[in-house]
Amino acid sequence: MANVVHKLTEQEIQQLMQQVSFETSQLPNGMKARTKYNQTTINIYNSGKVMFQGKQAETVAQQLLPNHGTSSNATASKTKQTSVTTISYNQYNCIGSDEAGSGDYFGPLTVCAAYVSKEHAQILKTLGVDDSKKLTDFKIVELAEQLITFLPHSLLTLDNIKYNERQALGWSQVKMKAVLHNEAIKNVTQKISTDELEYIVIDQFAERGVYQRYALSALPFPEKTQFETKGESKSLAIAAASIISRYAFVKHMDHIAKTMRCDIPKGASNKVDLAAARIIEQHGIAKLDSISKKHFKNREKAQSLVNKKYN
Protein backbone atom coordinates (compact mmCIF):
# COMPACT_ATOMS: atom_id res chain seq x y z
CA MET A 1 0.00 0.00 0.00
CA ALA A 2 1.41 3.38 -1.02
CA ASN A 3 1.49 6.32 1.36
CA VAL A 4 1.92 10.01 0.56
CA VAL A 5 2.08 12.92 2.99
CA HIS A 6 1.97 16.65 2.18
CA LYS A 7 2.05 19.76 4.34
CA LEU A 8 -0.62 22.24 3.19
CA THR A 9 -1.57 25.80 4.04
CA GLU A 10 -5.07 26.47 5.37
CA GLN A 11 -6.06 27.87 1.97
CA GLU A 12 -4.82 24.73 0.21
CA ILE A 13 -6.75 22.56 2.67
CA GLN A 14 -9.96 24.48 1.95
CA GLN A 15 -9.37 24.08 -1.79
CA LEU A 16 -8.86 20.34 -1.34
CA MET A 17 -12.05 20.04 0.71
CA GLN A 18 -13.98 21.77 -2.04
CA GLN A 19 -12.90 19.11 -4.55
CA VAL A 20 -13.95 16.08 -2.48
CA SER A 21 -16.63 15.49 0.15
CA PHE A 22 -15.04 15.04 3.60
CA GLU A 23 -16.34 13.91 6.98
CA THR A 24 -15.71 16.59 9.62
CA SER A 25 -17.58 15.29 12.68
CA GLN A 26 -16.90 12.52 15.20
CA LEU A 27 -13.22 12.38 14.25
CA PRO A 28 -10.22 11.33 16.36
CA ASN A 29 -8.42 14.09 18.24
CA GLY A 30 -6.01 15.95 15.99
CA MET A 31 -7.87 15.13 12.78
CA LYS A 32 -9.63 17.89 10.84
CA ALA A 33 -11.33 15.81 8.14
CA ARG A 34 -11.22 12.43 6.39
CA THR A 35 -12.68 10.68 3.38
CA LYS A 36 -12.36 7.70 1.05
CA TYR A 37 -11.79 8.68 -2.58
CA ASN A 38 -10.86 6.43 -5.52
CA GLN A 39 -9.79 3.56 -3.22
CA THR A 40 -7.63 6.01 -1.26
CA THR A 41 -8.05 7.11 2.35
CA ILE A 42 -7.36 10.81 2.83
CA ASN A 43 -6.78 12.16 6.36
CA ILE A 44 -6.38 15.88 7.02
CA TYR A 45 -4.81 16.73 10.38
CA ASN A 46 -5.01 19.92 12.41
CA SER A 47 -1.26 20.28 11.94
CA GLY A 48 -1.82 20.89 8.22
CA LYS A 49 -0.46 17.48 7.21
CA VAL A 50 -2.53 15.51 4.67
CA MET A 51 -2.02 11.77 4.33
CA PHE A 52 -3.06 9.69 1.33
CA GLN A 53 -3.14 5.90 1.85
CA GLY A 54 -3.95 3.17 -0.66
CA LYS A 55 -2.79 1.62 -3.93
CA GLN A 56 -3.76 4.78 -5.80
CA ALA A 57 -2.36 7.18 -3.18
CA GLU A 58 0.27 8.77 -5.40
CA THR A 59 -2.10 9.14 -8.35
CA VAL A 60 -4.86 10.65 -6.20
CA ALA A 61 -2.42 13.02 -4.48
CA GLN A 62 -1.14 14.24 -7.84
CA GLN A 63 -4.70 14.64 -9.11
CA LEU A 64 -5.96 16.62 -6.12
CA LEU A 65 -2.71 18.47 -5.36
CA PRO A 66 -1.11 19.03 -8.77
CA ASN A 67 1.17 21.80 -7.48
CA HIS A 68 2.84 19.64 -4.83
CA GLY A 69 4.60 17.11 -7.05
CA THR A 70 5.84 13.85 -5.48
CA SER A 71 8.61 15.10 -3.21
CA SER A 72 6.68 14.01 -0.11
CA ASN A 73 6.05 10.50 -1.37
CA ALA A 74 6.31 8.40 1.73
CA THR A 75 7.26 5.31 -0.26
CA ALA A 76 10.46 6.91 -1.50
CA SER A 77 13.65 4.87 -1.44
CA LYS A 78 15.02 4.02 1.99
CA THR A 79 17.19 6.70 3.53
CA LYS A 80 20.64 5.79 4.76
CA GLN A 81 20.62 4.43 8.28
CA THR A 82 22.58 6.81 10.49
CA SER A 83 22.05 5.23 13.91
CA VAL A 84 24.84 3.06 15.26
CA THR A 85 23.06 -0.28 15.52
CA THR A 86 23.56 -3.76 14.16
CA ILE A 87 20.02 -3.88 12.78
CA SER A 88 18.46 -1.22 10.54
CA TYR A 89 15.02 -1.64 12.11
CA ASN A 90 13.36 0.96 9.90
CA GLN A 91 13.91 -1.31 6.92
CA TYR A 92 11.81 -4.04 8.53
CA ASN A 93 8.25 -4.50 9.77
CA CYS A 94 8.59 -3.92 13.52
CA ILE A 95 6.67 -3.70 16.76
CA GLY A 96 8.33 -1.23 19.11
CA SER A 97 7.51 -0.59 22.76
CA ASP A 98 8.33 2.14 25.25
CA GLU A 99 6.94 3.73 28.41
CA ALA A 100 6.45 7.12 30.06
CA GLY A 101 6.02 8.32 33.61
CA SER A 102 8.46 5.93 35.28
CA GLY A 103 10.67 8.76 36.56
CA ASP A 104 7.81 11.08 37.51
CA TYR A 105 6.46 11.25 41.06
CA PHE A 106 3.05 12.44 39.93
CA GLY A 107 0.97 10.62 37.35
CA PRO A 108 0.61 7.08 36.04
CA LEU A 109 2.91 4.67 34.28
CA THR A 110 1.95 4.43 30.61
CA VAL A 111 3.24 1.83 28.15
CA CYS A 112 2.67 1.61 24.40
CA ALA A 113 3.56 -0.93 21.75
CA ALA A 114 3.14 0.12 18.12
CA TYR A 115 3.54 -1.69 14.80
CA VAL A 116 5.40 0.21 12.09
CA SER A 117 5.68 -1.40 8.68
CA LYS A 118 8.44 -0.51 6.23
CA GLU A 119 5.95 1.72 4.39
CA HIS A 120 4.77 3.43 7.57
CA ALA A 121 8.38 4.07 8.57
CA GLN A 122 8.61 6.44 5.64
CA ILE A 123 5.43 8.22 6.73
CA LEU A 124 6.78 8.65 10.25
CA LYS A 125 9.92 10.28 8.89
CA THR A 126 7.80 12.66 6.85
CA LEU A 127 5.65 13.54 9.85
CA GLY A 128 8.74 14.34 11.87
CA VAL A 129 8.66 11.50 14.40
CA ASP A 130 11.70 11.74 16.67
CA ASP A 131 12.90 10.92 20.16
CA SER A 132 10.05 12.09 22.42
CA LYS A 133 12.55 13.57 24.89
CA LYS A 134 13.48 16.11 22.21
CA LEU A 135 9.86 17.12 21.60
CA THR A 136 7.67 19.63 23.42
CA ASP A 137 4.41 18.45 24.97
CA PHE A 138 2.56 20.37 22.26
CA LYS A 139 4.45 18.50 19.52
CA ILE A 140 3.95 15.18 21.33
CA VAL A 141 0.18 15.69 21.35
CA GLU A 142 0.12 16.81 17.72
CA LEU A 143 2.12 13.80 16.50
CA ALA A 144 0.38 11.22 18.70
CA GLU A 145 -3.07 12.30 17.55
CA GLN A 146 -1.92 11.60 14.00
CA LEU A 147 -0.14 8.32 14.74
CA ILE A 148 -3.03 6.69 16.60
CA THR A 149 -5.27 7.05 13.54
CA PHE A 150 -3.26 4.65 11.39
CA LEU A 151 -0.69 2.70 13.45
CA PRO A 152 -1.83 -0.58 15.03
CA HIS A 153 -0.98 -0.04 18.69
CA SER A 154 -1.83 -0.92 22.28
CA LEU A 155 -1.71 1.69 25.04
CA LEU A 156 -1.81 0.53 28.68
CA THR A 157 -2.04 2.80 31.72
CA LEU A 158 -1.27 1.78 35.30
CA ASP A 159 -2.90 4.51 37.38
CA ASN A 160 -1.40 5.60 40.69
CA ILE A 161 -3.76 3.62 42.91
CA LYS A 162 -3.03 0.35 41.10
CA TYR A 163 0.66 1.24 40.84
CA ASN A 164 0.88 1.72 44.61
CA GLU A 165 -1.02 -1.52 45.21
CA ARG A 166 1.47 -3.48 43.09
CA GLN A 167 4.39 -1.76 44.78
CA ALA A 168 3.00 -2.66 48.21
CA LEU A 169 2.84 -6.30 47.08
CA GLY A 170 6.57 -6.19 46.39
CA TRP A 171 6.52 -5.47 42.68
CA SER A 172 9.49 -3.41 41.53
CA GLN A 173 8.95 -0.82 38.85
CA VAL A 174 10.96 -3.02 36.48
CA LYS A 175 8.47 -5.84 37.00
CA MET A 176 5.52 -3.51 36.37
CA LYS A 177 7.10 -2.32 33.14
CA ALA A 178 7.95 -5.85 31.98
CA VAL A 179 4.36 -7.01 32.51
CA LEU A 180 2.88 -3.97 30.75
CA HIS A 181 5.32 -4.09 27.82
CA ASN A 182 4.68 -7.79 27.25
CA GLU A 183 0.90 -7.35 27.40
CA ALA A 184 0.96 -4.39 25.03
CA ILE A 185 3.12 -6.29 22.55
CA LYS A 186 0.80 -9.32 22.71
CA ASN A 187 -2.17 -7.04 22.09
CA VAL A 188 -0.56 -5.61 18.96
CA THR A 189 0.23 -9.08 17.58
CA GLN A 190 -3.53 -9.72 17.65
CA LYS A 191 -4.11 -6.71 15.39
CA ILE A 192 -1.65 -7.50 12.60
CA SER A 193 -0.57 -10.30 10.30
CA THR A 194 2.31 -11.78 12.25
CA ASP A 195 3.55 -13.51 9.09
CA GLU A 196 4.82 -10.09 8.01
CA LEU A 197 6.30 -9.21 11.43
CA GLU A 198 10.09 -9.25 11.32
CA TYR A 199 11.21 -7.75 14.63
CA ILE A 200 9.90 -6.81 18.06
CA VAL A 201 12.19 -4.21 19.56
CA ILE A 202 11.90 -3.05 23.18
CA ASP A 203 13.48 0.08 24.58
CA GLN A 204 15.68 -1.66 27.11
CA PHE A 205 15.04 -1.04 30.81
CA ALA A 206 16.27 -4.47 31.95
CA GLU A 207 18.43 -7.30 30.68
CA ARG A 208 16.61 -9.87 28.57
CA GLY A 209 16.69 -12.54 31.28
CA VAL A 210 15.27 -10.15 33.90
CA TYR A 211 12.54 -9.04 31.53
CA GLN A 212 11.54 -12.63 30.77
CA ARG A 213 11.48 -13.54 34.46
CA TYR A 214 9.30 -10.57 35.40
CA ALA A 215 6.91 -10.53 32.42
CA LEU A 216 4.64 -13.25 33.95
CA SER A 217 3.94 -14.63 30.47
CA ALA A 218 6.08 -15.82 27.57
CA LEU A 219 7.41 -13.39 24.98
CA PRO A 220 5.10 -13.61 21.93
CA PHE A 221 7.93 -14.17 19.43
CA PRO A 222 11.19 -14.53 21.39
CA GLU A 223 13.22 -15.32 18.27
CA LYS A 224 12.18 -11.96 16.79
CA THR A 225 12.58 -9.93 19.98
CA GLN A 226 15.45 -7.49 20.49
CA PHE A 227 16.31 -5.12 23.35
CA GLU A 228 17.95 -1.79 22.51
CA THR A 229 19.32 0.95 24.74
CA LYS A 230 18.40 4.44 23.49
CA GLY A 231 15.94 2.62 21.25
CA GLU A 232 14.14 5.75 20.08
CA SER A 233 17.18 6.73 18.03
CA LYS A 234 17.43 3.27 16.48
CA SER A 235 13.82 2.37 15.69
CA LEU A 236 10.91 4.50 14.51
CA ALA A 237 8.60 1.87 15.99
CA ILE A 238 10.03 2.61 19.43
CA ALA A 239 9.93 6.35 18.73
CA ALA A 240 6.24 6.12 17.79
CA ALA A 241 5.44 4.03 20.88
CA SER A 242 7.31 6.55 23.01
CA ILE A 243 5.32 9.46 21.58
CA ILE A 244 1.98 7.72 22.14
CA SER A 245 2.86 6.65 25.69
CA ARG A 246 4.13 10.16 26.47
CA TYR A 247 0.94 11.61 24.99
CA ALA A 248 -1.16 9.49 27.35
CA PHE A 249 1.00 10.55 30.29
CA VAL A 250 0.72 14.25 29.39
CA LYS A 251 -3.07 13.95 29.08
CA HIS A 252 -3.30 12.29 32.50
CA MET A 253 -1.12 14.99 34.05
CA ASP A 254 -3.33 17.69 32.51
CA HIS A 255 -6.36 15.95 34.02
CA ILE A 256 -4.74 15.80 37.45
CA ALA A 257 -3.83 19.49 37.26
CA LYS A 258 -7.38 20.41 36.27
CA THR A 259 -8.88 18.29 39.05
CA MET A 260 -6.52 19.67 41.69
CA ARG A 261 -6.74 23.21 40.30
CA CYS A 262 -3.01 23.72 40.55
CA ASP A 263 0.18 23.17 38.60
CA ILE A 264 1.39 19.56 38.73
CA PRO A 265 5.07 19.50 37.74
CA LYS A 266 6.67 16.55 35.99
CA GLY A 267 9.77 14.76 37.19
CA ALA A 268 10.94 14.41 40.79
CA SER A 269 12.66 17.74 41.57
CA ASN A 270 12.39 20.13 44.51
CA LYS A 271 9.58 21.83 42.64
CA VAL A 272 7.68 18.55 42.86
CA ASP A 273 8.29 18.40 46.63
CA LEU A 274 6.74 21.85 47.05
CA ALA A 275 3.70 20.95 44.96
CA ALA A 276 3.21 17.74 46.96
CA ALA A 277 3.47 19.66 50.25
CA ARG A 278 0.77 22.08 49.11
CA ILE A 279 -1.50 19.16 48.23
CA ILE A 280 -0.97 17.61 51.66
CA GLU A 281 -1.90 20.92 53.30
CA GLN A 282 -4.99 21.44 51.19
CA HIS A 283 -6.26 17.89 50.61
CA GLY A 284 -4.40 15.49 52.88
CA ILE A 285 -1.86 12.73 52.37
CA ALA A 286 -4.43 10.21 51.06
CA LYS A 287 -5.30 12.49 48.16
CA LEU A 288 -1.63 12.98 47.39
CA ASP A 289 -1.09 9.21 47.33
CA SER A 290 -3.96 8.76 44.87
CA ILE A 291 -2.18 10.85 42.22
CA SER A 292 1.45 9.93 42.91
CA LYS A 293 3.91 7.05 43.34
CA LYS A 294 4.14 6.51 47.10
CA HIS A 295 7.61 4.95 47.20
CA PHE A 296 9.31 8.00 45.67
CA LYS A 297 11.36 10.08 48.15
CA ASN A 298 9.29 13.14 47.21
CA ARG A 299 6.51 11.95 49.54
CA GLU A 300 8.81 11.96 52.57
CA LYS A 301 10.33 15.32 51.58
CA ALA A 302 6.87 16.87 51.16
CA GLN A 303 5.81 15.64 54.61
CA SER A 304 8.98 17.14 56.10
CA LEU A 305 8.20 20.49 54.47
CA VAL A 306 4.72 20.48 55.98
CA ASN A 307 6.01 19.47 59.42
CA LYS A 308 8.64 22.22 59.42
CA LYS A 309 6.01 24.80 58.57
CA TYR A 310 3.81 23.91 61.51
CA ASN A 311 6.46 23.02 64.10
Side-chain angles (χ1 to χ4, degrees):
M1 181 175 70
N3 303 276
V4 177
V5 177
H6 287 294
K7 173 74 172 179
L8 304 185
T9 64
E10 182 59 32
Q11 182 179 0
E12 289 172 327
I13 289 174
Q14 293 303 319
Q15 291 172 347
L16 173 60
M17 293 179 68
Q18 289 173 7
Q19 296 181 66
V20 182
S21 177
F22 280 84
E23 297 175 28
T24 57
S25 61
Q26 297 182 328
L27 301 175
N29 289 335
M31 186 178 288
K32 183 184 186 72
R34 66 181 173 192
T35 192
K36 188 88 170 182
Y37 176 76
N38 285 0
Q39 298 181 313
T40 301
T41 299
I42 307 174
N43 293 330
I44 302 176
Y45 297 99
N46 292 333
S47 63
K49 300 278 180 63
V50 179
M51 182 185 302
F52 298 80
Q53 292 179 288
K55 293 181 179 179
Q56 302 298 320
E58 187 172 341
T59 300
V60 171
Q62 290 177 345
Q63 175 190 344
L64 298 178
L65 303 173
N67 296 326
H68 278 263
T70 59
S71 60
S72 294
N73 189 342
T75 55
S77 60
K78 298 182 180 74
T79 58
K80 183 179 179 180
Q81 183 75 12
T82 56
S83 300
V84 180
T85 179
T86 55
I87 301 172
S88 299
Y89 292 107
N90 299 338
Q91 297 178 16
Y92 298 94
N93 300 319
C94 291
I95 292 175
S97 68
D98 202 357
E99 78 283 334
S102 61
D104 298 87
Y105 173 60
F106 287 111
L109 177 63
T110 59
V111 172
C112 179
Y115 175 66
V116 176
S117 65
K118 289 175 282 190
E119 293 77 17
H120 280 156
Q122 299 301 320
I123 294 179
L124 266 55
K125 291 176 185 177
T126 304
L127 292 175
V129 169
D130 200 349
D131 184 340
S132 67
K133 297 179 184 65
K134 299 177 182 178
L135 304 174
T136 64
D137 285 353
F138 177 83
K139 189 64 176 179
I140 288 284
V141 171
E142 178 186 287
L143 281 171
E145 290 182 344
Q146 296 174 61
L147 299 179
I148 59 178
T149 65
F150 66 91
L151 288 185
H153 68 281
S154 173
L155 175 63
L156 302 178
T157 299
L158 188 65
D159 65 32
N160 292 109
I161 293 175
K162 292 179 180 177
Y163 179 103
N164 291 331
E165 288 174 352
R166 299 297 188 281
Q167 202 275 330
L169 291 172
W171 286 36
S172 67
Q173 194 180 82
V174 171
K175 182 172 183 176
M176 296 182 209
K177 290 196 284 189
V179 170
L180 291 170
H181 274 257
N182 216 43
E183 285 303 307
I185 290 167
K186 286 195 293 184
N187 291 344
V188 175
T189 63
Q190 301 300 312
K191 300 179 180 182
I192 65 173
S193 170
T194 54
D195 290 341
E196 298 177 358
L197 177 64
E198 294 171 288
Y199 284 105
I200 296 171
V201 55
I202 300 167
D203 193 52
Q204 186 167 340
F205 54 87
E207 293 295 327
R208 186 186 188 100
V210 173
Y211 178 97
Q212 289 177 313
R213 186 168 71 252
Y214 281 153
L216 297 184
S217 59
L219 277 63
F221 293 92
E223 74 284 356
K224 296 181 180 181
T225 301
Q226 303 289 327
F227 294 80
E228 293 285 355
T229 56
K230 299 181 180 179
E232 290 170 282
S233 64
K234 301 174 182 178
S235 164
L236 283 167
I238 290 181
S242 175
I243 287 170
I244 296 172
S245 61
R246 189 69 185 174
Y247 164 76
F249 177 76
V250 167
K251 286 294 186 180
H252 275 87
M253 289 289 279
D254 288 346
H255 176 72
I256 293 172
K258 184 177 180 180
T259 301
M260 302 304 297
R261 297 181 180 179
C262 66
D263 179 53
I264 303 294
K266 300 179 180 67
S269 65
N270 292 338
K271 186 177 179 181
V272 172
D273 301 338
L274 293 171
R278 286 194 295 270
I279 291 172
I280 293 174
E281 288 183 290
Q282 296 173 13
H283 305 281
I285 190 70
K287 184 62 179 179
L288 175 65
D289 290 343
S290 73
I291 57 173
S292 64
K293 302 175 182 73
K294 286 177 66 175
H295 66 105
F296 275 45
K297 293 295 184 182
N298 302 90
R299 184 180 192 266
E300 182 180 328
K301 292 177 182 177
Q303 287 179 305
S304 295
L305 289 171
V306 174
N307 292 336
K308 286 179 182 178
K309 183 174 181 180
Y310 293 101
N311 292 328

